[in-house]
Amino acid sequence: ATFISYTHIQFLCKTLRMATIPGSDYDYVIVGAGPAGLASAGHLAKGGAKVAIFDFRPRPQDVFGSYPVVINPRGMKSLEKLDPEIAKKAREVGMEVKELHIVPDNRTVAKVKTYGTGIMRDQIAYILLEHCEQSGKIDIFWEHKLEELDVAKRSLRFSTKTGLVLVEDIKRLVAADGNRSRVRRACVAQVDGFTAEELPWGFQLRFMNSKQNVEQTEINKDFHYVLGDKGYVCQQPNGVWSVSLRVLPGVDEDFLTANEATEERMQKLKAYTEEHAGWVAKNLLDEDAYRGFYDCRSFDGVVIKCSCLNPAGWIVIVGDGAHAVQPATGEGINSGLEDASILGECCANETADEDRFAAYNRVHLADAHALQQLALQAKDKVVSSPRDRATNIMVTIGLGIAKKTRIIEGTMQDFMLGELAQIVGVKPYSELMAMEARQTRGLRAVAGAITSMLRLSTEKPEVKETEEEESAATTTPPEKAATAAPADQKLVTMGA
């Protein structure tokens, strides 16, 4: 006889209770209540649409449980288009970022005047959430975990605490469910001709947080600091300093990869930080910060490139689901906010000659692909050989000289986070990547020749891939499946 436990009976009863939500009640259904999803809902509702948002998390409460981001002129422009009050509140809640310093191995090699607002990711998401809740045209369904997308039936199946929920007859679907998007992976499995490259970052990140030493004056809260390929330092709006360190699994020593704090590991971590960022160790970090490093698990991600942004016609992919990048680019949240703005414009201005999602794909696909180039370029700077690192530093210095002598108007960073983004305006990513290629072609050739003469090593660290990364670098799966591929939801915070 087969024994069925009470737990199994409970599970069967739960799964048999299937609630139904008519998707036809809404003009748009959005999966993911992160900045990109909420901003998309706001723009679509502004055009008069009725919108439903589904997210697997409970309604968020702790905005400081996320991570710091910088809203640059691109992102702020998109918020202004949605509602100037949202942009104003973001500036009030966040803190001004005035300069970006590039400081590899305790040496400042570049300083860029910046125009950005430092804010926690979930702070800006919460501001957008309040806007959506007040719109009167947006319904938000929390604690709905996406289990399945059926493209042919235009339906979604979610699991909740009380059972399953089926959303049927969906008019249009906006996927904003993060870099490991279940919607995107389901489309890869079910939509002929649609592919998506998922390339691992090639590294992981890990954080230390520490209160500022109030007596120190060496580190400015208005500046952000890039530690070459080793990490990033900035202050959060609540006064806590965030120090992120790059971790290379299978390459770095135990003190960077382990999850348990020991006195030996903490001493090695302290020595490592002093070697590569002595000014940070001296002014910001104490024993509690080093110990806290081991309480913060390292995390990774993927870089995304989709063959199109509107698979199946009635589905559109935005935010990290369409073009995830590494944090080092600084463009993750900003590109997602811009997606929402452009999507809103395309939907509001649809013509008889072109479908609204098709128009979005036509207008924005080149920029989405340029973001992948930007991300892979950033990856090469983080996971690089000694020769590549030296070449990159020389190119950075050369661009600084070219800018000072007015040979070039500005660098790509100047048009993303710097003064030119304010004065000249925000440029498309595709245009910025083309400009950067022209500016660095000669510099990179000269720097490469010098590093070759110096016989610097070209060997890159062999990073051990996680199980998720090993399965990430795919395009079309070996066989079409009826359900979405599994996604790691622990790395998705309020969607994308």
Side-chain angles (χ1 to χ4, degrees):
T2 302
F3 175 75
I4 301 178
S5 69
Y6 179 70
T7 302
H8 287 134
I9 294 173
Q10 280 187 315
F11 175 77
L12 289 171
C13 291
K14 178 181 175 182
T15 55
L16 287 173
R17 292 199 299 269
M18 176 85 78
T20 302
I21 298 176
S24 56
D25 286 354
Y26 299 95
D27 298 300
Y28 300 90
V29 171
I30 297 177
V31 179
L38 292 167
S40 294
H43 281 285
L44 295 171
K46 186 177 180 179
K50 187 76 188 301
V51 182
I53 307 175
F54 293 84
D55 195 275
F56 74 94
R57 292 202 319 174
R59 188 182 186 281
Q61 302 297 329
D62 179 16
V63 296
F64 286 99
S66 57
Y67 49 86
V69 296
V70 177
I71 301 179
N72 63 22
R74 184 186 305 274
M76 200 60 74
K77 178 183 176 183
S78 300
L79 294 177
E80 292 274 4
K81 286 183 178 180
L82 177 55
D83 187 338
E85 285 300 312
I86 294 178
K88 179 183 177 182
K89 191 168 184 179
R91 292 189 182 98
E92 291 173 350
V93 170
M95 53 193 301
E96 187 178 5
V97 182
K98 297 179 179 179
E99 290 186 14
L100 182 69
H101 291 203
I102 314 298
V103 194
D105 297 326
N106 296 300
R107 295 172 298 135
T108 301
V109 299
K111 297 180 181 180
V112 180
K113 188 176 181 180
T114 58
Y115 291 82
T117 298
I119 193 170
M120 303 304 288
R121 179 191 183 275
D122 276 7
Q123 277 185 302
I124 186 59
Y126 198 84
I127 294 171
L128 288 165
L129 172 59
E130 290 181 322
H131 175 83
C132 288
E133 289 177 334
Q134 295 166 9
S135 74
K137 292 182 174 294
I138 301 170
D139 293 333
I140 305 178
F141 298 85
W142 298 108
E143 298 183 86
H144 281 63
K145 180 182 177 183
L146 178 62
E147 299 291 351
E148 181 182 21
L149 161 65
D150 191 317
V151 174
K153 294 181 179 179
R154 299 173 80 115
S155 68
L156 295 169
R157 181 167 58 86
F158 297 92
S159 59
T160 71
K161 289 181 178 179
T162 58
L164 298 177
V165 173
L166 182 67
V167 184
E168 299 179 300
D169 301 321
I170 299 171
K171 295 177 182 178
R172 291 183 180 271
L173 175 64
V174 180
D177 53 334
N179 62 1
R180 291 186 170 92
S181 166
R182 291 190 172 207
V183 174
R184 184 190 66 241
R185 290 179 173 181
C187 287
V188 168
Q190 299 176 50
V191 178
D192 289 338
F194 176 69
T195 61
E197 296 179 21
E198 300 186 16
L199 303 175
W201 283 359
F203 61 92
Q204 297 177 342
L205 287 178
R206 203 167 188 178
F207 287 89
M208 287 185 281
N209 290 327
S210 179
K211 290 287 186 180
Q212 178 179 356
N213 175 1
V214 294
E215 297 178 356
Q216 73 88 25
T217 57
E218 188 175 350
I219 305 178
N220 193 322
K221 66 180 179 62
D222 297 328
F223 301 168
H224 282 203
Y225 303 87
V226 180
L227 308 178
D229 62 348
K230 296 298 188 293
Y232 195 90
V233 179
C234 68
Q235 190 181 72
Q236 300 175 176
N238 62 353
V240 172
W241 281 87
S242 173
V243 180
S244 64
L245 294 182
R246 178 211 66 184
V247 177
L248 300 179
V251 175
D252 285 332
E253 293 183 46
D254 173 74
F255 72 89
L256 282 173
T257 60
N259 292 326
E260 183 180 349
T262 65
E263 189 61 33
E264 181 182 2
R265 286 171 180 160
M266 288 173 60
Q267 289 303 317
K268 286 186 176 181
L269 177 60
K270 184 176 182 180
Y272 177 86
T273 309
E274 288 173 345
E275 177 185 357
H276 298 290
W279 46 281
V280 175
K282 171 187 172 184
N283 294 290
L284 301 182
L285 301 178
D286 54 18
E287 292 301 308
D288 289 339
Y290 290 119
R291 188 174 301 278
F293 178 80
Y294 297 97
D295 294 330
C296 175
R297 297 295 185 262
S298 56
F299 66 94
D300 56 17
V302 291
V303 174
I304 301 299
K305 179 182 179 181
C306 296
S307 57
C308 72
L309 303 177
N310 63 327
W314 62 282
I315 301 171
V316 72
I317 308 174
V318 300
D320 284 349
H323 45 64
V325 295
Q326 300 102 330
T329 65
E331 292 300 312
I333 190 168
N334 295 294
S335 59
L337 293 174
E338 183 180 56
D339 288 355
S341 176
I342 294 174
L343 178 64
E345 291 175 359
C346 290
C347 291
N349 300 316
E350 183 179 33
T351 65
D353 298 326
E354 187 176 31
D355 175 79
R356 64 194 74 173
F357 284 0
Y360 176 80
N361 181 70
R362 173 180 55 79
V363 168
H364 209 40
L365 183 62
D367 286 333
H369 288 179
L371 273 166
Q372 190 218 28
Q373 291 180 295
L374 178 64
L376 295 179
Q377 189 180 84
K379 175 183 176 179
D380 288 341
K381 291 178 181 178
V382 174
V383 186
S384 57
S385 67
R387 181 177 295 185
D388 289 338
R389 281 197 297 273
T391 298
N392 289 332
I393 290 173
M394 290 182 193
V395 170
T396 299
I397 294 172
L399 286 173
I401 294 172
K403 189 168 65 171
K404 286 183 179 179
T405 55
R406 301 186 183 279
I407 296 174
I408 62 174
E409 182 181 15
T411 66
M412 182 168 61
Q413 284 295 336
D414 291 317
F415 282 100
M416 290 198 299
L417 187 59
E419 187 175 14
L420 291 177
Q422 290 285 98
I423 299 172
V424 179
V426 174
K427 290 180 178 291
Y429 290 112
S430 53
E431 187 176 332
L432 289 175
M433 290 303 298
M435 180 191 75
E436 202 266 349
R438 293 192 303 271
Q439 291 177 346
T440 61
R441 189 177 295 116
L443 287 171
R444 202 163 287 282
V446 172
I450 294 172
T451 55
S452 179
M453 290 172 57
L454 295 174
R455 296 186 178 182
L456 297 179
S457 172
T458 59
E459 186 175 346
K460 293 185 178 182
E462 295 184 8
V463 181
K464 180 181 178 181
E465 291 185 342
T466 64
E467 291 183 6
E468 287 175 359
E469 286 178 330
E470 289 173 354
S471 64
T474 60
T475 51
T476 307
E479 59 183 5
K480 298 292 181 179
T483 61
D488 180 6
Q489 298 228 18
K490 72 176 182 292
L491 294 178
V492 182
T493 309
M494 285 185 71

